[in-house]
Amino acid sequence: MGWLFLKVLLVGMTFSGLLYPLMDFSTNGKTGAPKPNIVIILADDMGWGDLGANCAETKDTTNLDKMASEGMRFADFHAAASTCSPSRASLLTGRLGLRNGVTHNFAVTSVGGLPLNETTLAEVLRQAGYVTAMIGFDYFFGIPYSHDMGCTDTPGYNYPPCPACPQSDGRWRNPGRDCYTDVALPLYENLNIVEQPVNLSGLAQKYAEKAVEFIGQASTSGRPFLLYVGLAHMHVPLSVTPPLEKPRNQSLYHASLREMDNLVGQIKDKVDHMAKENTLLWFTGDNGPWAQKCELAGSTGPFFGLWQVHQGGSPAKQTTWEGGHRVPALAYWPGRVPANVTSTALLSVLDIFPTAIALAGASLPPHRNFDGLDASGVLFGRSQTGHRVLFHPNSGAAGEYGALQTVRLDHHKAFYITGGANACDGSTGPEQHHTFPLIFNLEDDAAEAVPLQRGSPEYQAVLPEVARLLAEVLGDIAADNSSRADYTQDPSATPCCDPYQIACRCQTA
């Protein structure tokens, strides 16, 4: 599942003053030293190995590779969860799902979303004088959830394939549970549906145009800005826009990767033209590739999860294996972020929230604990120190959603539970609980092939520290000001511009 905007991740914010009919670029009397602009671009289901700067054999990310050569590449960067809603909720709040309440994905008919009592990055930065957009926040443009969660007349490429929306009466029936036909995929501008079903073949360019327009207007407004772009790429269905048609002998996935790279390039070019000296551009992903989609899925690079492969199932998206949560990440800010640098600091999507707040000179929201850290020292080349420990939440392949049963400690990683997600061949890996956790040394075994022997000195040295850290974070969460998301579903919550037409059809000029 992909990015769940208005009624999912943003439903908790639509009634707290974050979505406005028009972008407000007034200065509100703000004076003093300029605050940096912040642009966050989040790819969907993009594998670590899909970035050319990570894997030399990848030739489809020219703009991103140029950004890496002009900025900083993070080799050990991780999503906050291995599926979409929890990962994105953590980006917006700096808190794991057990704290912010979002532990698994929402549905088309979801009543709730990110809890109202959670404070988002946009809320904090608005108080610091920022104008915000999510393509938007003050301004919003996009679809409210994954673009596979509704039918379209341009269904693109999926595995298995899905048909176009029905065109006539209601006798047409759903051919399979993986295809949505009861509601068409809506495109929102602020709180209005402007197109339903959305034309996927032109969506990427619309995102680029709206992002470029916002950067241009915000740059001339006298106010700093936050722009968060949650891409539909590289989630299925894949839909390639002319003139980037799939070339001969090239896979659809690689053609779509080139389209995404082109979109990012347009945004970066606008930043360079309008606000290069004072804008941090941060690119990363929400989780690893969706291996179940076969040739329409990306590459995990060298993070094969071989122990799980031998047990069955996929070690990518929805799992706590490296392929599920290690994601490509780049930072670009000429004159501030050093050029052509690779950082090996252990960092996370969780760190975007506290880092952006620190750069804006704002303060973290009170009366709650956070799981990210201020990574500005790493960004500016002053430090190589990131996290010593990260916790990877269960994300669907095994265990209770959001539970913390996988622990990263320096270059070691311990699994108290394992399981494989649905693989391309239809297999899944059995859920296995490990009283004595499997522990891998990622420095020597990035493929997670052979766990340490339980009797080895290395295992015995790591085990008590892992157990202590896990007990500490669970105690901290239990005592924290945590939220609970409403996962209730109601068909009446389904967005539809015309409920009297099958599949909801409308077009706005």
Side-chain angles (χ1 to χ4, degrees):
M1 296 175 66
W3 39 293
L4 303 157
F5 281 153
L6 281 176
K7 71 172 187 164
V8 182
L9 288 186
L10 287 183
V11 75
M13 300 191 286
T14 55
F15 302 106
S16 59
L18 285 177
L19 296 182
Y20 287 75
L22 296 171
M23 288 178 273
D24 175 14
F25 294 110
S26 61
T27 60
N28 292 335
K30 298 291 182 180
T31 59
K35 299 175 184 289
N37 308 309
I38 299 167
V39 178
I40 302 164
I41 304 177
L42 191 72
D44 198 335
D45 289 2
M46 182 182 181
W48 190 93
D50 290 338
L51 178 67
N54 285 341
C55 290
E57 60 268 26
T58 301
K59 307 296 183 183
D60 303 300
T61 57
T62 304
N63 291 291
L64 287 168
D65 297 343
K66 184 173 186 288
M67 190 188 303
S69 69
E70 296 172 342
M72 183 173 290
R73 177 178 71 94
F74 302 100
D76 202 356
F77 197 93
H78 298 262
S82 296
T83 192
C84 299
S85 295
S87 181
R88 294 160 192 268
S90 290
L91 185 156
L92 293 175
T93 65
R95 286 153 57 88
L96 287 166
L98 288 182
R99 299 188 199 271
N100 65 41
V102 182
T103 57
H104 54 289
N105 286 336
F106 296 95
V108 172
T109 55
S110 290
V111 172
L114 184 68
L116 287 166
N117 58 335
E118 287 296 313
T119 302
T120 69
L121 179 59
E123 289 176 295
V124 178
L125 293 191
R126 274 188 57 79
Q127 291 297 316
Y130 279 67
V131 60
T132 65
M134 177 185 278
I135 313 274
F137 284 104
D138 286 335
Y139 173 76
F140 171 82
F141 184 84
I143 54 179
Y145 33 69
S146 294
H147 63 305
D148 67 335
M149 296 175 66
C151 65
T152 73
D153 296 336
T154 54
Y157 299 90
N158 206 335
Y159 182 84
C162 287
C165 290
Q167 296 287 337
S168 55
D169 57 39
R171 292 177 293 179
W172 195 90
R173 302 186 67 181
N174 191 334
R177 63 180 179 86
D178 290 330
C179 297
Y180 289 76
T181 56
D182 297 331
V183 63
L185 186 65
L187 176 64
Y188 277 87
E189 186 159 21
N190 294 311
L191 298 179
N192 300 313
I193 296 176
V194 296
E195 184 177 313
Q196 193 174 22
V198 63
N199 184 344
L200 290 181
S201 66
L203 188 60
Q205 188 54 36
K206 287 180 179 177
Y207 283 176
E209 290 169 359
K210 292 293 185 179
V212 164
E213 178 185 4
F214 174 81
I215 292 169
Q217 293 181 2
S219 296
T220 58
S221 72
R223 293 179 62 185
F225 63 84
L226 166 69
L227 171 63
Y228 170 38
V229 184
L231 303 176
H233 295 73
M234 297 296 300
H235 199 292
V236 294
L238 303 179
S239 182
V240 181
T241 305
L244 293 175
E245 295 286 0
K246 182 178 82 71
R248 188 182 302 275
N249 299 323
Q250 186 180 44
S251 76
L252 285 162
Y253 188 86
H254 288 283
S256 188
L257 192 59
R258 288 171 51 242
E259 180 178 73
M260 183 202 72
D261 181 72
N262 180 270
L263 191 163
V264 174
Q266 292 182 60
I267 296 173
K268 178 180 176 292
D269 286 347
K270 189 65 174 182
V271 166
D272 284 346
H273 178 68
M274 298 294 298
K276 184 175 184 177
E277 295 78 14
N278 199 39
T279 301
L280 169 64
L281 198 163
W282 203 328
F283 174 90
T284 188
D286 69 339
N287 51 249
W290 197 358
Q292 183 182 0
K293 297 301 180 176
C294 302
E295 70 274 10
L296 302 183
S299 165
T300 60
F303 306 108
F304 301 119
L306 291 179
W307 188 92
Q308 183 61 58
V309 170
H310 295 318
Q311 308 296 313
S314 159
K317 178 180 177 176
Q318 299 180 321
T319 79
T320 58
W321 299 96
E322 289 295 290
H325 53 76
R326 192 181 291 228
V327 290
L330 305 170
Y332 170 77
W333 186 355
R336 296 297 303 277
V337 173
N340 200 26
V341 169
T342 295
S343 171
T344 58
L346 177 59
L347 294 175
S348 166
V349 164
L350 290 159
D351 305 327
I352 293 175
F353 183 94
T355 304
I357 288 175
L359 293 175
S363 299
L364 290 172
H367 312 305
R368 67 197 64 197
N369 296 336
F370 295 87
D371 299 292
L373 56 78
D374 175 7
S376 55
V378 177
L379 285 177
F380 300 145
R382 299 192 301 263
S383 171
Q384 276 287 352
T385 302
H387 293 266
R388 181 171 180 253
V389 59
L390 276 181
F391 301 95
H392 302 297
N394 296 342
S395 296
E400 181 181 352
Y401 282 110
L404 304 181
Q405 295 176 288
T406 304
V407 184
R408 171 75 181 272
L409 173 61
D410 294 324
H411 56 270
H412 291 98
K413 187 175 174 187
F415 293 80
Y416 285 90
I417 192 169
T418 53
N422 287 329
C424 175
D425 62 7
S427 68
T428 59
E431 179 177 305
Q432 299 184 51
H433 294 258
H434 307 278
T435 303
F436 294 95
L438 302 180
I439 300 179
F440 296 84
N441 184 329
L442 296 179
E443 194 170 57
D444 300 329
D445 184 15
E448 295 171 301
V450 182
L452 301 176
Q453 293 294 318
R454 277 174 46 190
S456 69
E458 186 176 2
Y459 185 99
Q460 293 299 319
V462 172
L463 178 61
E465 183 73 350
V466 164
R468 181 185 67 81
L469 290 165
L470 184 56
E472 283 183 359
V473 74
L474 293 177
D476 182 74
I477 291 171
D480 194 12
N481 182 9
S482 298
S483 303
R484 184 180 296 273
D486 181 1
Y487 279 95
T488 304
Q489 296 190 38
D490 184 339
S492 65
T494 304
C496 189
C497 63
D498 187 350
Y500 300 103
Q501 291 190 38
I502 185 169
C504 306
R505 290 186 168 274
C506 69
Q507 299 289 327
T508 300

